[in-house]
Structures are given as C-alpha cells and as structure tokens.
Amino acid sequence: MLSILKKVFGTKNERELKRLWPMVHKINALEPEVAALSDAELARKTEEFKKRLQEGETLDDLLFEAFAVVRETAKRLLNMRHFDVQLIGGIVLHEGKIAEMKTGEGKTLVATLPVYLNALEGKGVHVVTVNDYLAKRDAQWMGPIYHHLGLSVGVIQHEESFLYDPTYKSDDRRYEHLRPCSRKEAYNADITYGTNNEFGFDYLRDNMKYDINDYCQRELNYAIVDEVDSILIDEARTPLIISGPSEESVGKYYKIDKIIPKLKKDVDFTIDEKAKTVILTEEGSIKVEKLLGVDNLFDPAHIDLVHHVLQGLKAHHLFKRDVDYVVKDGKVIIVDEFTGRLMPGRRWSDGLHQAIEAKEGVKIESENQTLATITFQNYFRMYKKLAGMTGTADTEAEEFAKIYNLDVVVVPTNKPMIRVDHPDVIYKTERAKFKAVIREIEECHKRGQPVLVGTISIEKSELLSKMLKKKGIKHSVLNAKYHEKEAEIIAQAGRPGAVTIATNMAGRGTDIILGGNPEGLAREFLKDKKDPTEEEKAEALRKAKEICERDRQKVIEAGGLHIIGTERHEARRIDNQLRGRSGRQGDPGSSRFYLSLEDDLMRIFGSDRISGLMNKLGMDEDVPIENRMVTRAIENAQRRVEAHNFEIRKHLLEYDDVMNKQRTEIYRFRKEILSADSLKDRIFEMIEDVVDALVYEYCPEDQHPEYWEYEELSNNLYGIFGVKIEGLEEFKGQEALKEEIIKRLKEFYEEKEKEIGSDLMRYLERIITLQVVDNQWKDHLLAMDHLKEGIGLRGYGQKDPLVEYKREAYDMFMEMSERIKQETLTRIFKVQIKTEDEAEKISRKQERQLVYNRGNGQEPKKPVKKKKKVGRNEPCPCGSGKKYKKCCGINA
C-alpha cells in the first residue's frame, strides 16, 4: 500500500525537491540583473538588505536576491559559480534542515548562501567543522566573498583566534590573511568558523567567568554544522568536560593495576563488548577483597575501590593500544574513534585514563573533578536555528527528527553518479582477507589505477603498510600519527597508481581529485626555493595543471579511484562515507569491501550462520563468499547496531535532559549575578528564605509557643549569620517572630555596609555569591555522577530508574539551592574586611590547571551500595558536635 502511495504522490524527498525547484528558478531569473552590477554596487547590496530588514522585511523575503548576490560574488572572486543543486542545498540549510550532499558536491561553497543571508541580521552565524584545519581552511577560502560584501569573519582555533583580513601578511603560509585577535572579537564577527569542541568548551568557559564583560559568546543564534552526522550522532554520547585536579592520591591505581592480571575472565568478571561494560562476579569480589586486604569491598569506606577495579578491568580488556589510544612520550593519548586523529590534552574521565596509564606503566596524572560539562546534543539544541550538511544522513533521518527536530533533504548530484559498488567478499580468516586486499592493490597499481584503502584502526593501517613494503609498493599512510600532512596526502590520492591507506575516513573534508591537486603539486615544485617570485609561482602552477590534466585522463582510462574497505564499520554511514570518496562530480570509480569472520562486527553481531555455511561447503580459507545475501546479512547486523546505539544515545539524553535543566538554571543565575549592579535585594530575599525555614523548623505553627525551641533557633541564627539575637521569647506569633529576626539581621547588614562602604559591599556580594555557587555546583556534579551510577538498582525494586533519577535529582538541586543561600549569607555576614586589597584576596582563586576532555559517554553504571543515612538526632558527621538535624541536615 505504501509503495503505491509513493508512486502516486512521490516520496517525501521528491515532494520537497518539487517545492524547492521554483525557488531556484527565481534566483536564476535574477542572474542577468545582478551580473550587470559593478563590484562596488554588488558590495553595497549588503547595506540595502540590512536596511530592508530594519523596515520589516524578513530573511525569506530577501532570499532570492541575497543568494543571487552571493553567487555572482563567488563567480567573480573565486571563479566558482553555484550550481542549481547547490542553491537547493543553500535553501535547505536556511530553512533549518539537513542537506545530504554527496562528497565533492561543494558543501563549503553551498554554506556561503545561508551564512551570508542569516549574517545580515547581525546576530552571528557559526559554521561548525570537525577539525581546526578545516575551520581555518574554509574561512580563508570563502573569506573573500564575505569580505567583499562587507561582513566580518572570525576563526576559532584551539588556544588561538583570528579575524579574516586580506591585507594581513603572515610569516606562516598556513595563516595567510588571518590576523590574530581575542576570542571575543572572533565571536563578535558576523560569521565565526570553528570546531564543535571549541564552541562547546567556550560556552562552558564563559559560564565559569567572574566578569560579564569577559564572556566571549553572544546568544546562540544560527549554526550550520558540517559533517553533521559525525558531530550530532557519532560524538553525541560523549560529553564535553572541563575539570580541575582533585586532591586524591594516584597510588591506588598502581595498586589495583597489579591485581587485575590475577582476575580470570568469566570466573571473576564478565565482559559485555556491546555495551563496553565489565561486571565483577561474587567470586571476583571475594578474590579482590583478599588481594587488596579489605574485609568488605562494599563497605562505605571502600566503595570507590569497586569502581576503580572495574575501570582497571576495562583498561585491560576493552581498551586496546594503537586502536583506542597510543602511548607517545610517556603519555597515553586518545585516538578519536570517528576521525582516527590523536587528541592530545583530552582525557577519559572517571579514573579510566589513570587505569590505562597504570596498565601502560607511564606516569599517572592526578584524577580530575568535573567543574563544567555539557553534551553536544544539548549544546546544539540551544541555537535558535540549527542546520547541517553531510554526505550521509539519510540512514539516521529518524534520529535527527526525534532528537534535534531536523528534517533531512537528499540533494541531487550535479552530474549522475557512475561509480560501481561491487558486492562484499568475505573470507574465513583475517589473514586470508588481507592477502586478498594486497592482491587487489597490486593489480590496480599495475594498471595505474589509484587506490584508497580504508581501515578501522592505526594497528590495521600499519599491518597493511608492512605488507605493501614487502611487495615494494610505494604508498602513503594517513592516520592519527601523521595527520599534520593529511590534507596534502589525501589531495594527491587520485594520481595515477597512487596507493593511500587511511584510518576511518569520517570527517576528512578534503576532496580527492583524479589526476591530483595542481596547487599541491606546484608547492612540491617550489619546496626547495626559499622565497619564490610571483613569476616562479605562476610557472609552477601552469606546469602542475598541465601534468594533472594529463594524469586525469590516464586515471579515467584505468577506471577512476578504486576504494577498498578492509572492515565494515558499526554504522553504514561510515562505510558510505568511505565509498563516497570515489565517483565525485560524475567521475568514474569503484568500491569493494573485504571482510572476514574474525572482524569485530561479524564476531560480535552474529557470523555463526555464514561460518556454518562456509564449513558445510568445506571452503578453504583463501576462497571467499561473494554474493548479495552476505551483504544483506551484514547490513542487517549494522542496522541492529545502529538501533542499539540510537537507544543508548536516547537513553543518555533522557538522563542528560535532567542535568541540562539544572545547568541552564545555574548558568542563568550566574549571569544575573554578573549583570546586576547590586545584589542587596537578592541577599535580603535569601535572609527571608533562610529565616523562614529556621522558624518553621524550631517554632512550628501547630505547636504551642511554650514548646518552641527558642534557644536552638538563636544558636542556629548565630551559626549562620554570626549575629546573637536576644529576647526572641517575647514573640509568641510565628509571623511576628520572623519579622523581628529579619528586621534585626537587615539592620546588622546595613551597619556592616556603612562600616566598609557601599562599593566594597557590592563587590563582596558578587564575588562571594559566585564562589559559593561554583563550589556547590562542582560538588553537585559529582553527587549527580554518583546518583547516576547507583540508580540502576531501582529497576530491581520495580521502580523506573529514570523517574527515580528525576525525583532525586530535583531533591538534590533544591538542597543545593538552600546550601547556596546559607553559605553565601554566612560568608558575607562573617567576613572581616577593611580595605579593597583584602577583598581582592577573596576573589583571587587558587590557580589550577584546567583539563578539557570528552567523557566516556556510557550509560548509567551498575548500582553501588549507598552509604548509611544519618538519623536526624544523631551527631552530625561533619564533626561540629551538633545534632545532624541542627547542623548539615537542617534542610535535609
């Protein structure tokens, strides 16, 4: 029935394209008129558009003219004219949707259309790329368009920022036309290019600042996310975390690491490779107790040991050297799972990084406590309008719609796709598979056909590289260890007979041009010349173009770029991205995936049927199966994995949404504190709230005043405010009592203000409140982590863990809010200060090395036993000597 309806009405995508084509025709109709404008008239269009916006027109009203102006500017300055399909892509992005455009279809140029249009509002447009190199390259490449039209362009890089300025000359060719500037200047530009990490971390950093004028980012207005599937799906499970060192000892990691090899798999612990979790068995718990010399591993005093033993087991059994991380210069450096890049400075959180350092025998850095955290899912959902571009999004359209409310539109290619995708071939063993891969590379190399070989890890890249060296085949390796030169290597991967091995191709962002890239070749010709003249540069480029054009014809005759995949990835998108490197812009090309029953995907997600079939047929390990049934079975396994990962991401988001509401509330409160001229009224509100709670506790309305605990009330008031209030027994009504206490405390406050001066008092109010908020928030983040760890247990008690998490998280947040009030008042009332110099000491926070990392982003962990709850009449565990209910438990 569904297929009949599709035939009659067309698919959703076909209907969408039918709606967009008339808009393209309107833009095309304006081309002669815009082409007749002089360069100066073209540039003046921006001011005209801005004026029309002020007079009430909308961006949609301006779209046709604005797109025509950008197209004409690109044609004149870059010799690049937007194709009609690129105009479709631009409209899709302006409408806040995802444009799926195949590799080589010019996504960077497409983005200039909606970027220019939306930048006219002056609220800022962010173009988000997957790495610093692409952010810089795209800003330099497209900068001339924006600059000519009077818009400023900023670039955010790791630890540096720039403004595009065509008059600026840099000593380093890579930074040509990029003038260094402050972070804030880069964000105040009309258009800002940067990576997802830098945008996210800057948001967190802003919300840790002590002066509103130091904030870098403006309101989050409009973002276009390049490689949107990589950023919003692959990396969505991984939170961004800013942490600072905690005081804990690192010795425990070495101690625990020594006992890990003594624990036996499936006896002392079990591993779930799909969920990447480890569980200690009962026998394992007893064995660990003996090895560590503790009586009870689950005693509150030792509860953190269980966690660290599990992390140690993960480090040894789930995280592999040269796959998940490399060891370089005595440091464990994470390898990005999706891009294959090294990530120096990034650390796994929760003690996992330390466990891996202990395993590898390198120096253990101290564990860090989380100070601020956010997931990409929640960061990007804060933008008023969000759009994305990628070569592969359609397979995840459901997730984009459900989580981000983003529709996917598949934009047609400018020229028909003629690449040939061969069926997968599957071997019994990995050894046989790699032998076959080498044979195919040899054959392509002999006939001058360039080959790009995709691997899923550094380890596999280097294995293939060794095999090719033995055969004497010249090749390039593109992986996390050599990424400085990756753009040059990939740009030349289309030269005749070129062999390029590359780890995960997701998010590379550089086109492979058949015959090679003339600009790169020209640089090769000039590399020995210290300061080439303009004439020498022009001659080198002319010669390079001639060679590349001749080589292009050779490569086309040999069949175009051939792609070899050496393993299927968990997500079909990643495989499609590798395939999409070939056959760009109507070029010929081909692809084939080589698999073995020993590959992770096949091993974990069911290769039993295929293995049984091969054994029944008595097939030799060097004889492959090659048919569509196998390919379908593998794609079904991938669909199952994708669905499983979607569930994990959705689950993580449900938990993170709770945290997100709290984070938004705290950051809003911080901003209010920083923006206010005076916090005096807010301090007085806090006084009223705290007094209200204390009177309610010690002088309840439903009790006769002769039973009221006046002395206890007075002691607590003194404990919080440092003010001794006498004669409370005279007041027999609750309201009158509250009013009297509040009146006296406010009088004391006014006296203190007179004593030290209003300006100093305002400064103290702000600094002390911020410090208390930040300390309480940091501790709250830790408490929330622990809550998430233990919440799974509620499932055994027939309770929904998510509902319980939401309820307890709310209670914890309200308790924190009360603590913020009490601690702020205590510090402000008790602080003894006479001069501004003394006040400065309060604001001078302890110097600490902040660490920026991506958490391990896993589901809430298995439960741990909770510490014993303190009774309200028991001594307070803080050591004050008071009863718990009259000390730390006053608001519990």
Side-chain angles (χ1 to χ4, degrees), residues 249-261 278 304-321 325 327 331-332 347-368 856:
S249 155
V250 296
K252 66 185 173 194
Y253 294 106
Y254 291 119
K255 187 179 175 185
I256 286 168
D257 188 69
K258 281 179 186 156
I259 73 160
I260 298 296
V278 178
D304 67 322
L305 287 178
V306 185
H307 171 71
H308 289 300
V309 167
L310 291 175
Q311 294 293 57
L313 286 166
K314 272 189 207 172
H316 278 262
H317 297 280
L318 285 172
F319 287 80
K320 293 172 187 160
R321 184 170 176 162
Y325 64 90
V327 177
K331 289 188 185 299
V332 169
R347 292 177 66 80
W348 283 298
S349 58
D350 234 10
L352 176 61
H353 210 98
Q354 288 81 358
I356 292 171
E357 285 168 333
K359 164 191 163 185
E360 294 295 345
V362 299
K363 182 177 176 283
I364 294 175
E365 307 291 334
S366 62
E367 194 169 346
N368 293 305
N856 49 22

Side-chain angles (χ1 to χ4, degrees), residues 88-120:
I88 285 182
I91 299 166
V92 168
L93 294 173
H94 166 66
E95 290 178 347
K97 295 173 183 171
I98 290 171
E100 176 177 306
M101 302 181 74
K102 296 287 173 260
T103 304
E105 290 293 305
K107 293 190 282 289
T108 310
L109 186 64
V110 168
T112 57
L113 300 162
V115 165
Y116 171 75
L117 176 62
N118 285 270
L120 293 169

Side-chain angles (χ1 to χ4, degrees), residues 130-330:
V130 289
N131 60 55
D132 277 347
Y133 163 73
L134 290 177
K136 183 162 57 67
R137 184 205 71 178
D138 291 357
Q140 287 168 310
W141 191 10
M142 299 296 134
I145 298 174
Y146 305 124
H147 186 266
H148 182 76
L149 293 172
L151 296 180
S152 53
V153 180
V155 184
I156 298 294
Q157 299 273 285
H158 184 57
E159 295 182 343
E160 51 188 359
S161 39
F162 306 91
L163 281 172
Y164 177 79
D165 178 356
T167 63
Y168 181 79
K169 297 288 176 197
S170 171
D171 295 336
D172 187 337
R173 184 177 54 79
R174 294 172 303 166
Y175 293 90
E176 194 67 12
H177 307 320
L178 293 182
R179 179 166 55 77
C181 69
S182 70
R183 210 81 169 163
K184 191 169 187 171
E185 282 178 290
Y187 275 113
N188 281 337
D190 296 307
I191 300 146
T192 308
Y193 282 83
T195 67
N196 48 331
N197 286 344
E198 293 307 317
F199 283 121
F201 279 133
D202 281 338
Y203 169 75
L204 293 177
R205 276 190 287 254
D206 272 357
N207 286 287
M208 293 169 72
K209 285 174 179 165
Y210 274 55
D211 188 332
I212 196 80
N213 297 315
D214 291 341
Y215 275 48
C216 296
Q217 289 188 347
R218 298 186 272 170
E219 290 289 313
L220 301 177
N221 177 46
Y222 175 49
I224 294 179
V225 182
D226 194 10
E227 305 297 352
V228 67
D229 52 330
S230 173
I231 292 171
L232 296 191
I233 290 184
D234 295 334
E235 302 192 29
R237 279 161 62 183
T238 314
L240 291 175
I241 298 169
I242 296 180
S243 49
S246 68
E247 301 304 311
E248 228 175 327
S249 155
V250 296
K252 66 185 173 194
Y253 294 106
Y254 291 119
K255 187 179 175 185
I256 286 168
D257 188 69
K258 281 179 186 156
I259 73 160
I260 298 296
K262 296 173 184 173
L263 301 176
K264 290 179 186 163
K265 189 182 171 187
D266 298 328
V267 177
D268 300 318
F269 64 93
T270 57
I271 288 175
D272 184 338
E273 284 192 66
K274 284 186 201 178
K276 275 207 163 188
T277 54
V278 178
I279 297 164
L280 261 183
T281 62
E282 203 170 327
E283 294 92 326
S285 299
I286 294 164
K287 197 170 190 178
V288 169
E289 284 168 355
K290 282 180 185 166
L291 291 167
L292 291 176
V294 297
D295 297 335
N296 177 7
L297 201 54
F298 295 93
D299 185 284
H302 306 309
I303 200 69
D304 67 322
L305 287 178
V306 185
H307 171 71
H308 289 300
V309 167
L310 291 175
Q311 294 293 57
L313 286 166
K314 272 189 207 172
H316 278 262
H317 297 280
L318 285 172
F319 287 80
K320 293 172 187 160
R321 184 170 176 162
D322 283 338
V323 177
D324 300 293
Y325 64 90
V326 295
V327 177
K328 196 174 174 185
D329 304 328

Side-chain angles (χ1 to χ4, degrees), residues 28-44:
N28 286 338
L30 290 167
E31 192 163 14
E33 183 189 323
V34 174
L37 297 173
S38 68
D39 287 353
E41 286 170 328
L42 203 58
R44 282 200 292 273

Side-chain angles (χ1 to χ4, degrees), residues 11-23:
T11 62
K12 185 186 173 193
N13 203 70
E14 285 164 352
R15 293 195 301 276
E16 188 66 4
L17 292 173
K18 199 175 173 184
R19 177 182 72 82
L20 295 170
W21 275 116
M23 298 171 81

Side-chain angles (χ1 to χ4, degrees), residues 48 61 80 120 171 173 220 233 237 248 265 391 428 445 522 567 618 629 665 675 683 707 744 802 872 885:
E48 180 200 313
D61 296 332
M80 297 168 86
L120 293 169
D171 295 336
R173 184 177 54 79
L220 301 177
I233 290 184
R237 279 161 62 183
E248 228 175 327
K265 189 182 171 187
K428 274 176 92 172
H445 187 63
E567 204 162 321
M629 182 206 85
E665 189 59 32
S675 306
I683 298 293
Y707 298 111
R744 293 203 210 171
L802 181 61
R872 289 183 59 70
K885 71 176 182 182

